[in-house]
Amino acid sequence: MKNRMVKHHLFWPLCVLAALLLFNLCYSPDFFAITVHDGHLYGSLIDILNFGAPLMLVAIGMTLVVATKGIDLSVGSIVAISGAVACLGISKGADQNSMGLILTSVLLAVVLSLVLGAWNGLLVSGAGIQPIIATLILMVAGRGIAQLITGGQIITVTSANYAYIGSGSLAALPFSIFVVALMLVIALLLTRRTALGLFIESAGCNPAASLMSGIRARYVILAVYVFCGLCAGIAGLLLSSNVSSADGNNAGLWYELDAILAVVIGGTSLSGGRFYLTGTVIGALIIQTLTTTIYMIGVPPEITLVVKAFVVLAVCLIQSSAFRAAVAARWKTRHYPAEKEVRRHVS
């Protein structure tokens, strides 16, 4: 029973998340405190869920791409483009609270995100370009497109209805949490309740064998890139509406790396053929909790990324069964030299 629990793909990510939360509790006893103001919940845990929502969305889409042995480096740029398009459309309206204007702007941003995701998918599945190269093109060009849309400036909007998407509340919880939950449920239903998940894993393992089995791996790969673009586009809407502005230069910056880290921490294999959406969500929560911890303990901004990188490295090493076995063997032979001698003679 114990071995089965330790071998479960969520065991070590949950242990790391619990350790981070415990550290925060020891450092700040009020960390778990949740207060109610005007029917809304406030607290550090609520902030982690709210601010981590865009990363969770991007990571969910990235998980399916990685499952096909691909990668999408352009998600950060799509986040910036989506927010820029939505804010530009709303800022041009005479009445920024008009629901018709907001829905049109949001729909335009979502459609553009789908098109950008399809562009990546066509380059990978149709043109046969390696995923890291195909998405690198949009990663570079997309940031420039976002800057062109915003004119190199920060576009601010004063629409309370648009701000509700990223900073509003539903049932006392941030609305963004429900958006993430909806996308996660859709992804889980599509991949675990239909044959689509098996097709994705099959395309990630061996596209040629999948084709011989009757699975059109090209269409499967195209679909996952479109879904990844959709998730990134919605994440851009959450980010821009939360701050009521669009910044083509900095919005979504480094999101692609954080999303990949969340996917890896969650147990999904970068070599494709295996993916865990719930593990990815926990991985995103670990990264957001770590970010909150770094800011809370007052780590200087210039070494924040270094601290983050070391902690993520430690998390990945803890998850590695080979690393744990090597450390355990080293510890055992250190206390029992005779076993070390026996092991050396056997080898």
Side-chain angles (χ1 to χ4, degrees):
M1 180 67 182
K2 182 180 177 182
N3 287 336
R4 286 183 61 186
M5 187 170 66
V6 173
K7 288 180 179 178
H8 195 277
H9 69 278
L10 292 181
F11 178 78
W12 290 109
L14 285 174
C15 286
V16 173
L17 181 60
L20 279 173
L21 294 175
L22 184 62
F23 172 81
N24 282 285
L25 179 63
C26 295
Y27 188 85
S28 174
D30 295 333
F31 184 77
F32 280 84
I34 295 178
T35 58
V36 181
H37 292 293
D38 298 329
H40 307 314
L41 297 179
Y42 294 93
S44 299
L45 294 178
I46 303 298
D47 289 342
I48 289 174
L49 291 174
N50 189 23
F51 295 136
L55 177 59
M56 283 189 270
L57 268 179
V58 174
I60 288 171
M62 184 72 78
T63 302
L64 300 186
V65 170
V66 170
T68 62
K69 207 186 296 184
I71 202 163
D72 191 345
L73 298 180
S74 66
V75 288
S77 297
I78 296 177
V79 166
I81 292 173
S82 173
V85 169
C87 287
L88 179 66
I90 294 172
S91 66
K92 297 295 183 184
D95 180 11
Q96 293 193 9
N97 280 316
S98 169
M99 287 305 296
L101 177 66
I102 293 172
L103 290 176
T104 303
S105 301
V106 168
L107 183 62
L108 183 60
V110 170
V111 170
L112 185 56
S113 301
L114 290 171
V115 171
L116 294 175
W119 166 261
N120 284 332
L122 287 173
L123 288 182
V124 174
S125 63
I129 300 176
Q130 291 183 347
I132 193 170
I133 302 299
T135 56
L136 183 62
I137 296 171
L138 185 56
M139 176 187 177
V140 176
R143 188 62 63 179
I145 294 172
Q147 292 174 358
L148 285 173
I149 294 172
T150 60
Q153 305 294 322
I154 297 177
I155 299 177
T156 57
V157 295
T158 57
S159 173
N161 291 331
Y162 182 65
Y164 180 84
I165 300 174
S167 59
S169 294
L170 180 64
L173 290 171
F175 181 70
S176 58
I177 297 176
F178 294 93
V179 176
V180 174
L182 176 64
M183 294 302 293
L184 178 62
V185 168
I186 291 174
L188 284 173
L189 288 177
L190 288 176
T191 57
R192 297 308 182 196
R193 294 296 180 183
T194 70
L196 182 60
L198 185 61
F199 292 168
I200 292 173
E201 291 177 339
S202 176
C205 286
N206 193 327
S210 301
L211 182 61
M212 295 180 70
S213 303
I215 301 172
R216 294 183 180 274
R218 285 186 176 183
Y219 295 132
V220 174
I221 294 173
L222 175 63
V224 297
Y225 277 95
V226 171
F227 182 75
C228 188
L230 173 65
C231 290
I234 297 175
L237 295 175
L238 291 181
L239 274 176
S240 60
S241 60
N242 192 25
V243 295
S244 294
S245 64
D247 184 357
N249 299 318
N250 299 307
L253 202 61
W254 307 120
Y255 257 58
E256 54 279 351
L257 300 183
D258 281 348
I260 294 169
L261 285 175
V263 172
V264 172
I265 291 173
T268 297
S269 172
L270 285 177
S271 57
R274 185 186 63 183
F275 68 93
Y276 303 106
L277 289 169
T278 51
T280 295
V281 172
I282 294 174
L285 286 175
I286 290 174
I287 292 175
Q288 185 59 42
T289 305
L290 177 60
T291 304
T292 303
T293 305
I294 289 173
Y295 289 140
M296 186 177 68
I297 63 179
V299 174
E302 56 269 20
I303 62 171
T304 296
L305 292 177
V306 177
V307 174
K308 197 173 179 180
F310 272 109
V311 175
V312 171
L313 174 62
V315 172
C316 292
L317 288 177
I318 291 172
Q319 284 186 274
S320 169
S321 57
F323 178 78
R324 294 199 306 273
V327 171
R330 180 73 177 174
W331 180 263
K332 195 173 182 181
T333 54
R334 182 181 178 184
H335 287 272
Y336 301 97
E339 290 192 14
K340 186 176 182 180
E341 289 296 323
V342 171
R343 190 185 298 273
R344 190 177 65 180
H345 285 297
V346 170
S347 61

